Amino acid sequence: MLKTFILTIFPKLTKDLLNLSILKRAINKKILEIEIINIRDFTDDKHKKVDDYIYGIKKGMLFKFEPLYKALTYSKKKCKNPYVILPSPKGKILNSNIIKDLSKLNEIIFIAPNYEGIDERIIRFINEEISIGDYVISSGELAVFVILESIIRKLVIDENSYIEDSFSLFNIPFLLENPQYTRPNKLINPLNNNFNLEVPEYLVKGNHKEIIKKNLENSLTQTIYKKPELYIKFYKYFQIKKKSKKIYYPHTFLKFLNYKEIDEILYNSILNNVIPS
């Protein structure tokens, strides 16, 4: 079970968010335990003030050190070996490798920042700053839930489902998911009645080996077209594995493919982006 503390000034919002996601399912299954800590409960003044003006010329308010430190200390005392995370645009951008590492932890304390951020002196008491992207939002609670839900999804869902997602497809962290379809397998194009929208034939036929090969090819095609920087990472990753003496299969799904076949798939995926279909 993952024991989690969320330090926030909006406990009601945080509680409401817990009832709207996969997190509620995880709590019911005893996979996740969450305690919401109201930072305002650790203030000394009657107005429960947790923020103050920023030193210097910047306008806005900042989380004060004292109530945040007291809330953090209180939470740490209820843990054996907690890992403290602060969502911050200054941190490493969240990715599948970070999620994989975080999913191995037993205790996590999240600080949900608001206003213009937190007093810098609290940073020495946290383990990691994590960014959910190169942008800024007002609610630190939403950032916490992005990180926490990604961890819980890794813990809750079936492993075979997880490795079919983007960024974990076939256990490879650099690929987008291949295109997917559902019934019916043939639709009339609303823009051109003479042209049908059809599910690719290889999916309809049901040849398992061909489906896996085509899914990998289409995944690579999507990655090259939509996120070329990810494909470059994948290509370097694959070449390193290829040069190693040990034969490497990211997942048992690919065991029937040799390196020559995978090279051919790589070549086809590049052609798919050069030659219009």
Side-chain angles (χ1 to χ4, degrees):
M1 178 185 286
L2 174 61
K3 188 175 183 180
T4 307
F5 293 81
I6 301 176
L7 279 53
T8 175
I9 57 170
F10 297 113
K12 186 180 183 303
L13 169 66
T14 305
K15 189 174 182 180
D16 289 342
L17 287 171
L18 284 175
N19 292 320
L20 298 173
S21 66
I22 194 174
L23 301 178
K24 184 178 181 181
R25 201 167 24 143
I27 292 169
N28 291 338
K29 288 184 175 182
K30 309 295 184 186
I31 295 171
L32 175 67
E33 179 185 324
I34 290 185
E35 185 170 342
I36 300 168
I37 306 296
N38 188 349
I39 300 169
R40 294 189 189 278
D41 291 341
F42 297 87
T43 57
D44 295 325
D45 65 289
K46 63 180 181 180
H47 300 295
K48 302 290 184 182
K49 188 176 174 63
V50 296
D51 61 320
D52 213 329
Y53 293 104
I54 304 170
Y55 278 113
I57 59 174
K58 187 176 181 180
K59 294 180 180 178
M61 307 294 280
L62 207 64
F63 261 136
K64 296 174 69 175
F65 175 88
E66 297 95 327
L68 192 51
Y69 177 73
K70 289 177 181 177
L72 185 56
T73 301
Y74 171 82
S75 303
K76 283 183 174 181
K77 286 180 179 178
K78 302 185 81 173
C79 302
K80 291 181 180 178
N81 186 28
Y83 194 79
V84 184
I85 295 174
L86 173 69
S88 166
K90 299 175 185 177
K92 294 178 183 176
I93 293 182
L94 186 67
N95 59 41
S96 58
N97 287 330
I98 292 175
I99 293 164
K100 189 175 181 180
D101 290 339
L102 295 178
S103 68
K104 298 173 184 176
L105 299 173
N106 295 318
E107 299 170 322
I108 301 177
I109 298 174
F110 288 99
I111 298 174
N114 284 275
Y115 310 117
E116 290 294 320
I118 66 173
D119 188 306
E120 185 69 17
R121 290 169 288 188
I122 204 71
I123 297 297
R124 68 185 64 193
F125 301 101
I126 70 166
N127 294 100
E128 187 171 12
E129 293 178 85
I130 296 177
S131 170
I132 60 169
D134 292 333
Y135 54 90
V136 178
I137 58 176
S138 298
S139 172
E141 286 74 20
L142 294 181
V144 165
F145 273 84
V146 168
I147 301 168
L148 181 56
E149 185 166 316
S150 65
I151 297 168
I152 294 304
R153 191 170 191 280
K154 174 75 173 70
L155 295 174
V156 169
I157 68 169
D158 178 75
E159 180 66 18
N160 287 335
S161 297
Y162 187 77
I163 61 161
E164 292 169 359
D165 285 346
S166 290
F167 311 114
S168 55
L169 188 73
F170 299 121
N171 248 2
I172 302 170
F174 308 115
L175 295 181
L176 298 181
E177 193 172 14
N178 52 277
Q180 299 181 95
Y181 306 86
T182 187
R183 296 175 182 174
N185 68 337
K186 187 179 291 187
L187 294 168
I188 296 173
N189 188 339
L191 301 178
N192 184 349
N193 292 340
N194 296 319
F195 179 67
N196 290 329
L197 301 174
E198 298 184 22
V199 175
E201 191 177 353
Y202 75 90
L203 289 172
V204 179
K205 284 186 174 180
N207 183 314
H208 193 66
K209 181 177 179 179
E210 187 64 20
I211 287 173
I212 291 173
K213 287 175 69 174
K214 281 290 186 182
N215 279 353
L216 180 57
E217 180 183 319
N218 290 331
S219 169
L220 286 161
T221 300
Q222 293 264 328
T223 306
I224 293 169
Y225 181 67
K226 295 181 177 179
K227 294 201 173 204
E229 72 281 2
L230 270 183
Y231 178 79
I232 293 169
K233 290 180 180 179
F234 163 77
Y235 188 78
K236 290 178 180 176
Y237 171 85
F238 178 68
Q239 293 306 317
I240 291 170
K241 295 295 183 182
K242 192 176 175 183
K243 287 177 182 177
S244 65
K245 294 179 181 179
K246 188 177 179 182
I247 295 176
Y248 169 74
Y249 297 106
H251 193 268
T252 51
F253 282 170
L254 302 179
K255 269 198 170 180
F256 61 82
L257 295 176
N258 57 45
Y259 279 128
K260 185 178 178 181
E261 288 178 297
I262 295 177
D263 279 334
E264 185 182 339
I265 290 170
L266 286 168
Y267 179 73
N268 289 338
S269 65
I270 294 170
L271 283 183
N272 290 339
N273 278 279
V274 176
I275 303 172
S277 57

